[in-house]
Amino acid sequence: MKMTLKKNAALKPKILIINPFGIGDVLFTIPLIMAIKEKYPESSIGYWSNLRVKPLLESFAGVDKIFDLSRGDIKKIYQDSFFKGLVRSLKLAYDLKKERFDICFDLSLDHRYSLFSKIIGIRRRIGFNYKGRGRFLTDKIDIAGYREKHAVEYYLDLLRFLNACPGEKSLSLSVPIASEIRVKDILSAAHLEKNDLIIGIAPGAGGSWGKDAGYKHWPALKFAQVADRLADKFKAKIVLVGDESENPIADVIMSAMHNKPVNYVGKISLDLLPALIKNFGLFITNDGGPMHLAVALGVKTVSIFGPVSELVYGPFPGGENNLVLKWDGKCRPCYNNFRLPVCDKDKECLKAVSVDSVFEAAVKLLI
């Protein structure tokens, strides 16, 4: 029996998006949010995310309230203090319950989020049934993983349960003026001027892959060689970005380059990172959240993909300003159905991408 919205919420539903993942996955929900707002202009949208991405969500058009505490965040708090964990958990439950959401889109692939949503009274729970984890969802799509199309398209498939159609299929992100002003001062302090060609380099892969992030890292020395060649050819200024865990990679690049870059790795918070990336004339990056930020900001990108499929997690919707370089060996992409096998080829897929090919792709976008 098909469940409908409560009568008093038919035109003004309160909708909760549940996505506990990283920067890229959160950006992938922008077209979903836009489509919901097109279907229900008067709707109120809440977003249940992890702590790390809250500064990014604060600039999302259409999101009215953020609940920034994922299951993983709560687990870390409990490890530090059982009492603090209990207090934070109860407060989260109270804050979510008092909103009286009518619908949730549960993108977590974890049955505990939809169970919790049921307990706090969300009547319609929409999401994916992955490995039987959708048992507490009221409306679900069976999946074995994301393979045939982009993750954005999988999210948009869920709109069928609201009889809604996708609108504009693109990522778009606005940057707060206050952030732009602060970044302008940061760039000026590093003697980076408005007319400089700034090329950004993200030699890491962001924090969402944790200990496995190295499987997405193109060799640091290759980044250094490309950056030096571009600095020489275009008199460009090179800027390194990434989180603090990627400082060792940045140190290798700093030591190897004769055109010394400006190193912002571990020094730029997520609330300022989009404003910084917006100043780049080109961004060269591994597969990761910063790459998707650049795409959403309209910045030209050259991205290097290893174990992950560019069809599913590449620049969306792609195009001539977002070039992807990859190796076409039979074993890639090996990240399938949300699982990464042990690599027995010493990351051949990444090492096979040459310095010349990345340099030539960058030149193509700059001339």
Side-chain angles (χ1 to χ4, degrees):
M1 178 174 157
K2 189 173 180 180
M3 192 175 294
T4 58
L5 292 177
K6 292 181 287 186
K7 185 176 179 180
N8 63 348
L11 298 177
K12 301 181 180 181
K14 299 191 73 172
I15 298 172
L16 178 66
I17 309 290
I18 303 173
N19 188 330
F21 302 120
I23 293 171
D25 287 280
V26 168
L27 288 168
F28 294 163
T29 63
I30 290 175
L32 175 64
I33 293 169
M34 293 170 61
I36 292 171
K37 278 295 187 181
E38 186 172 335
K39 173 74 173 181
Y40 298 111
E42 302 296 318
S43 63
S44 174
I45 296 181
Y47 208 115
W48 185 3
S49 70
N50 66 47
L51 278 165
R52 191 166 62 91
V53 300
K54 181 183 180 182
L56 179 61
L57 281 167
E58 288 174 338
S59 63
F60 270 32
V63 173
D64 301 291
K65 189 164 290 190
I66 303 166
F67 305 88
D68 56 329
L69 198 67
S70 69
R71 191 177 68 83
D73 295 325
I74 293 172
K75 184 178 179 180
K76 291 177 182 178
I77 297 171
Y78 267 109
Q79 289 173 345
D80 180 58
S81 166
F82 177 83
F83 178 73
K84 288 181 180 178
L86 180 62
V87 170
R88 293 292 298 275
S89 298
L90 291 174
K91 184 179 186 305
L92 175 66
Y94 173 78
D95 289 343
L96 285 165
K97 184 175 176 59
K98 74 177 182 180
E99 291 297 321
R100 297 175 181 254
F101 288 107
D102 304 292
I103 305 167
C104 72
F105 283 85
D106 181 2
L107 310 177
S108 71
L109 308 175
D110 183 335
H111 72 277
R112 284 164 285 201
Y113 284 93
S114 52
L115 172 59
F116 181 83
S117 300
K118 180 178 181 179
I119 291 171
I120 64 171
I122 302 178
R123 294 186 64 203
R124 290 198 71 181
R125 301 174 297 280
I126 300 169
F128 300 108
N129 184 33
Y130 168 67
K131 289 190 172 182
R133 298 176 188 176
R135 54 188 175 275
F136 298 111
L137 298 170
T138 59
D139 305 273
K140 54 197 170 189
I141 297 174
D142 292 332
I143 61 167
Y146 300 158
R147 300 190 68 171
E148 295 84 10
K149 55 191 177 185
H150 202 282
V152 171
E153 299 285 0
Y154 280 94
Y155 291 170
L156 292 174
D157 283 346
L158 296 172
L159 290 169
R160 70 178 69 166
F161 298 113
L162 295 186
N163 294 319
C165 297
E168 183 179 351
K169 292 185 179 181
S170 66
L171 307 187
S172 60
L173 187 67
S174 61
V175 176
I177 294 176
S179 296
E180 291 191 356
I181 292 172
R182 288 174 63 190
V183 164
K184 182 179 179 182
D185 291 340
I186 291 170
L187 293 174
S188 294
H191 306 291
L192 295 169
E193 306 299 334
K194 182 178 180 180
N195 294 327
D196 288 333
L197 170 60
I198 302 175
I199 297 178
I201 303 285
S208 61
W209 268 46
K211 63 181 178 60
D212 291 326
Y215 287 104
K216 299 204 291 183
H217 293 172
W218 196 50
L221 288 176
K222 289 191 174 185
F223 272 113
Q225 292 169 39
V226 169
D228 260 335
R229 289 173 65 177
L230 290 171
D232 288 339
K233 182 175 179 64
F234 293 100
K235 306 302 179 187
K237 303 292 180 67
I238 307 299
V239 170
L240 306 181
V241 297
D243 68 30
E244 60 184 13
S245 70
E246 295 159 353
N247 274 312
I249 305 171
D251 291 342
V252 171
I253 296 174
M254 293 288 291
S255 298
M257 287 185 64
H258 63 261
N259 296 292
K260 293 306 177 187
V262 177
N263 183 12
Y264 288 137
V265 173
K267 299 172 185 176
I268 299 293
S269 57
L270 186 53
D271 61 319
L272 297 180
L273 184 59
L276 175 62
I277 291 175
K278 190 177 178 181
N279 286 274
F280 295 164
L282 176 69
F283 195 31
I284 304 175
T285 169
N286 291 317
D287 158 35
M291 180 266 291
H292 296 294
L293 279 174
V295 173
L297 293 165
V299 174
K300 296 177 180 179
T301 65
V302 174
S303 54
I304 301 139
F305 274 69
V308 175
S309 170
E310 70 285 355
L311 175 66
V312 179
Y313 296 104
F316 184 86
E320 60 184 15
N321 287 331
N322 302 117
L323 302 181
V324 173
L325 297 181
K326 57 186 174 59
W327 177 61
D328 289 323
K330 292 181 180 179
C331 64
R332 84 159 296 275
C334 63
Y335 177 74
N336 289 310
N337 299 336
F338 314 115
R339 292 291 182 266
L340 180 71
V342 175
C343 179
D344 61 358
K345 298 183 183 298
D346 194 26
K347 299 194 296 185
E348 183 179 359
C349 61
L350 286 166
K351 293 178 180 179
V353 178
S354 70
V355 170
D356 284 345
S357 64
V358 175
F359 175 74
E360 289 164 6
V363 170
K364 180 179 180 180
L365 292 178
L366 288 172
I367 60 176

